[in-house]
Amino acid sequence: MWADNETSIDLLGFDFLVDSLEVVLTDPRLLPVTVGVTGDWGSGKSSLMAMTKNRLEADEHEGKFPCVAFSPWRFEDYQDIKAALMTAVLDRLDAEVEANKALGEKIGKSLGDLRAKAHSIGVMRTLVTGGGVMAGLGPQEAALAGHAAEVVTAKKDDGEDRVSAYESVAEFHTQFADMMNAVEGEIQVLVVFIDDLDRCSTQTIVDTFEAVRLFLHAPGTAYVIGAHQRIVQAALDDRYPSHKEGDENLGRDYLEKMLQVMVTVPPLSEPEAETYVNLLFAELHGSEKFDELLQRAREERNKNHLAVAMNAGIAKEVIGKPSESLGEAFALTEQIAVPLAKGLRGNPRQIKRFLNTLLLRQRTAAKRDIELKPAILAKLMVLETARDLAPFEQLFEWQLAADGIPSELDVAERLARDEKVDDAPSEVEVWASKKEVKDWLQLDPPLAGEVLSPYFSFSRDRLSPAAPAARLSPELQQLLARMRSDTDAIQGGAVDEATGLDSAQLQEIAGAIFDVARRDPSSPAMSAAASLASKAEDVADQFFSTLEQIQANRIPMALAPQLMTLFPGDGRANTMLDRWDEAGPTKLRKAVRQARK
């Protein structure tokens, strides 16, 4: 399995994006610069920033581009996020001073003064707008970057005290700029990577931008901010509602002022997703040869970035015949890469989590001596991870009613192959006609005739409460399927078995069969529910409560005489019959009166 963290090992083919960031961050004509790294959650922004940081701190750049990695999300509880960021920057320069005596002679005293000033200012929220003006921002930009002017004026009536504080803010900005000018020649660019901004509260997002612009935006500095653009824009809109009136694009305009360069991380295409999954498996199963496989993938990407850069054929050219486990993994990737890229929108984090879940289920099943075939498990999980869970729930219901081998699936697969199927059930035709379901049915391997219940037993957490057996154990799922049988002997035997369960299991199975009966009162489940309630008093009240939730026009007429037979003289049954007799449709009223004769 794989850790769900950012990585500096490039499995995604991000070299071209790292190149873009390197070009921007090392061009002195662009400084000071703030770069936005945007993309969806899980798209790889953090990994891209980590790769860029590693490149700037290595090889020909070493020592010229000291980097700061800062996550405002981890400092949410800090008294002031601006002070936390400023301290992180000063700490990094302190480390450079310790390693470079000449640098210490130039800026050692300034660093001490700045650290004291940062603490004394406290970067108070009520001072930021004024500080922005004194730092050289225009009035409108200062109002956006800071807090509303009315908040500032609410601080004190002592104008002299306020001006003194504003001057301290401006002095910090000026002194920091002077210090960065002084290190020219020793440090080419101080690069600050700010990540996880889209995880933060509105206040933290705004405070982070304020810290960058008002205090740290100075010669020889660059800031790389990773965030989901829409989330940050929404936070800015929310923070300045009064400014938004008449300006629906306030958040967007603010970002355009703050971020001079944008680098967008695109979703993975289908070939890129296949390459990514294959490299993950190569790392897992072929660690001794992994570096060679990764290098070959880089070479293939250089030839054509949108083609598959690693698969069984390419691997064979590099390392000879892959191991059995790696070969099986490559074969699995061929089956799932395309639907994964489509269903998970080419999101690397979601793809990795899919694979981790697949391996977790396999290993858990193995501990219980249950065999889950990887290809079947993966195919079912593709349907399970679709945006619409309803098709997966429908398949679950079908297999539940057929001891794990749903005949509907055979019909659906033939329909997906455009074969003529006589007397196909309408619900199967509708299910199989959905584009995402038809595409899924055409994936290998075919599932008709396979026992699916073991696979669904590991997916119960994904099934909604609408699936009544979603949280039952495999044994109780099978019992519920027999209770729903339209064969009297099978249903009767299952009900008798249910009454012999311990109290906890009885409550579970009763809740499931009552729920099925409530959803479809005309199904065999209603007869089983009534029979179970008549034999197990512990669940009888729950049964009658279920009946009260069903509109009278949905009650099957056969239920009236069944209640009379199963619950003779029972006040709960008589109350229910009275209700139907008074407010039910004509046919139900007649059935009640006939049963009572």
Side-chain angles (χ1 to χ4, degrees), residues 126 148-158 162 166:
T126 53
E150 57 267 28
V151 175
V152 176
T153 57
K155 181 182 183 292
K156 276 189 179 182
D157 292 330
D158 185 347
R162 188 184 302 116
Y166 292 163

Side-chain angles (χ1 to χ4, degrees), residues 313-361:
I314 297 172
K316 187 176 181 179
E317 294 177 3
V318 179
I319 62 174
K321 184 179 179 179
S323 65
E324 182 178 354
S325 59
L326 183 56
E328 291 175 352
F330 283 152
L332 178 62
T333 301
E334 291 181 2
Q335 299 171 23
I336 65 175
V338 171
L340 274 186
K342 291 181 177 178
L344 301 180
R345 300 182 295 283
N347 186 290
R349 178 172 293 164
Q350 292 187 44
I351 289 174
K352 186 185 289 185
R353 289 186 175 183
F354 177 97
L355 296 174
N356 276 338
T357 301
L358 185 146
L359 294 181
L360 177 62
R361 290 180 180 178

